[in-house]
């Protein structure tokens, strides 16, 4: 072994040294709590006294509870609407803002601004805007002669409000991911399509969409994970009401653990949520063949 190879071998530990601080932080604040969470899922624990091991009893109780299935169905419907809506809006905005139009950078900044607002602040802000008696939206409606709408007091309108605010808050982030994907597509593909007589729609359908398949899969998976565990935005917007119409899975888990003091049951619900997200993400990955074009 020559001197150069010896020096290279001696420095092989340096990349691991840079990773070590992040690995320690991840292990302390994510890995360790996750291990404890799995343990508590099999215990009866009120957060103060010594946990009592109960095996799979928590899971039996949860799966026989009709409220659990109601929460799961309601959250699934919410995710099934919000994910495609966000993906379509983000892709549409990204496609428009990568055209050669004036002020596209300004519009990118405008659409990205809601992402910089915290979930709680965004929820409280829209809670004020959507109030029935004092909200800005209903004030503008009454100005043009339309009766005020119970945006947050009617279960149907409350769910619509949550969906619209969620898309408004997150579409800018996923738009940027699509913009990065669109800018990575070589212009030669579009030039070849033009030679074959393709119009704008055919270029989008036959060139853009297939080449964006890995990016789209990434966005769909990120959207699914983020929206399935939605909490702060919805709680600050509606509090889960009216009559639990917007109370989703994570709020149900939070109420069980911290509200009722049943931390063992709350940990079991968290573990079920993790398994659901892991299984569906794996199915999405398999169905899309790993996002291969």
């Amino acid at each position: 072994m020559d001197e150069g190879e010896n020096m290279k071998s001696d420095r092989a530990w340096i990349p691991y040294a840079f990773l070590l601080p992040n690995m320690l932080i991840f292990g302390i604040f994510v890995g360790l709590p996750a291990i404890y969470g799995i343990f508590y899922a099999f215990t009866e624990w009120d957060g103060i006294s010594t946990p009592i091991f109960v095996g799979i009893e928590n899971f039996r109780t949860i799966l026989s509870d009709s409220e659990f299935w109601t929460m799961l169905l309601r959250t699934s419907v919410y995710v099934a609407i919000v994910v495609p809506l966000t993906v379509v809006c983000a892709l549409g905005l990204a496609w428009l803002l990568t055209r050669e139009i004036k002020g596209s950078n300004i519009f990118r900044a405008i659409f990205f601004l809601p992402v910089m607002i915290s979930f709680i602040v965004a929820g409280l802000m829209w809670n004020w805007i959507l109030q029935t008696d004092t909200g800005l939206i209903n004030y503008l409606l009454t100005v043009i002669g339309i009766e005020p709408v119970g945006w947050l007091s009617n279960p149907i309108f409350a769910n619509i409000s949550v969906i619209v605010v969620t898309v408004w808050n997150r579409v800018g982030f996923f738009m940027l991911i699509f913009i990065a994907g669109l800018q990575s597509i070589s212009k030669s593909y579009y030039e070849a399509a033009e030679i074959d007589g393709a119009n704008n729609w055919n270029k989008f359908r036959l060139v853009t969409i297939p080449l964006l398949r890995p990016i789209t899969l990434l966005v769909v998976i990120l959207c699914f994970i983020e929206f399935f565990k939605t909490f702060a935005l919805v709680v600050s917007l509606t509090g889960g009401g009216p009559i639990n119409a917007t109370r989703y899975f994570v709020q149900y888990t939070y109420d069980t653990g911290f509200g009722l003091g049943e931390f063992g049951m709350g940990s079991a619900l968290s573990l079920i949520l993790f398994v659901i997200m892991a299984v569906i993400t794996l199915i999405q990955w398999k169905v899309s063949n790993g996002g291969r074009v």
Side-chain angles (χ1 to χ4, degrees):
M1 186 179 292
D2 59 27
E3 186 177 353
E5 289 178 340
N6 282 332
M7 289 179 65
K8 188 176 179 180
S9 176
D10 291 341
R11 294 176 180 176
W13 59 272
I14 293 178
Y16 299 101
F18 282 105
L19 287 174
L20 186 60
N22 285 336
M23 295 300 291
L24 281 175
I25 293 172
F26 181 85
I28 293 170
F29 293 103
V30 178
L32 201 58
I35 293 170
Y36 273 107
I38 293 172
F39 168 70
Y40 290 135
F42 297 92
T43 66
E44 183 182 335
W45 186 44
D46 59 6
I48 299 173
S49 58
T50 304
I52 301 170
F53 185 77
V54 293
I56 61 171
E57 190 58 35
N58 287 336
F59 297 94
R60 282 182 180 165
T61 304
I62 290 169
L63 296 177
S64 61
D65 184 2
S66 60
E67 191 177 4
F68 164 76
W69 295 105
T70 303
M71 291 298 153
L72 187 59
L73 176 63
R74 183 182 298 145
T75 307
S76 300
V77 171
Y78 164 76
V79 171
I81 296 173
V82 172
V83 169
L85 200 57
T86 303
V87 172
V88 169
C89 290
L91 177 58
L93 286 173
W95 187 81
L96 284 173
L97 296 179
T98 49
R99 303 298 95 188
E100 293 180 357
I101 57 175
K102 284 186 178 180
S104 61
N105 287 333
I106 296 174
F107 284 112
R108 289 182 191 183
I110 291 173
F111 286 115
F112 187 73
L113 274 178
V115 180
M116 301 173 70
I117 303 174
S118 76
F119 291 132
I120 293 176
V121 173
L124 292 174
M125 182 182 74
W126 278 99
N127 178 279
W128 172 75
I129 292 173
L130 296 171
Q131 284 296 314
T132 304
D133 299 324
T134 58
L136 178 63
I137 299 293
N138 277 346
Y139 170 75
L140 295 175
L141 290 178
T142 53
V143 168
I144 58 175
I146 298 176
E147 290 292 320
V149 177
W151 299 108
L152 301 178
S153 57
N154 180 293
I156 296 174
F157 284 116
N159 274 292
I160 294 173
S161 299
V162 167
I163 290 168
V164 171
V165 173
T166 302
V167 174
W168 167 84
N169 183 252
R170 302 307 298 159
V171 73
F173 175 73
F174 297 110
M175 174 195 73
L176 282 190
I177 296 178
F178 275 124
I179 286 176
L182 287 169
Q183 290 178 336
S184 69
I185 299 175
S186 172
K187 290 183 179 179
S188 61
Y189 291 108
Y190 295 105
E191 291 169 355
E194 283 179 0
I195 292 172
D196 290 337
N199 55 26
N200 286 333
W201 167 244
N202 283 334
K203 283 191 284 185
F204 180 75
R205 183 171 62 89
L206 301 173
V207 177
T208 304
I209 290 179
L211 292 177
L212 271 184
R213 190 175 173 184
I215 299 293
T216 305
L217 173 65
L218 172 68
V219 171
V220 169
I221 290 175
L222 290 177
C223 282
F224 172 79
I225 293 172
E226 180 170 334
F227 297 145
F228 211 98
K229 56 187 182 68
T230 187
F231 177 66
L233 180 65
V234 178
V235 170
S236 58
L237 176 61
T238 67
I243 53 173
N244 290 337
T246 58
R247 187 171 177 242
Y248 299 127
F249 197 99
V250 174
Q251 187 180 357
Y252 172 56
T253 303
Y254 176 86
D255 291 343
T256 301
F258 292 93
L260 301 176
E262 297 179 359
F263 288 92
M265 200 74 78
S267 299
L269 283 166
S270 299
L271 189 57
I272 291 172
L273 177 64
F274 170 77
V275 171
I276 291 172
M277 290 196 298
V279 169
I280 296 182
T281 300
L282 187 62
I283 291 172
Q284 289 174 336
W285 182 262
K286 289 290 184 184
V287 168
S288 65
N289 196 24
R292 293 189 181 89
V293 179

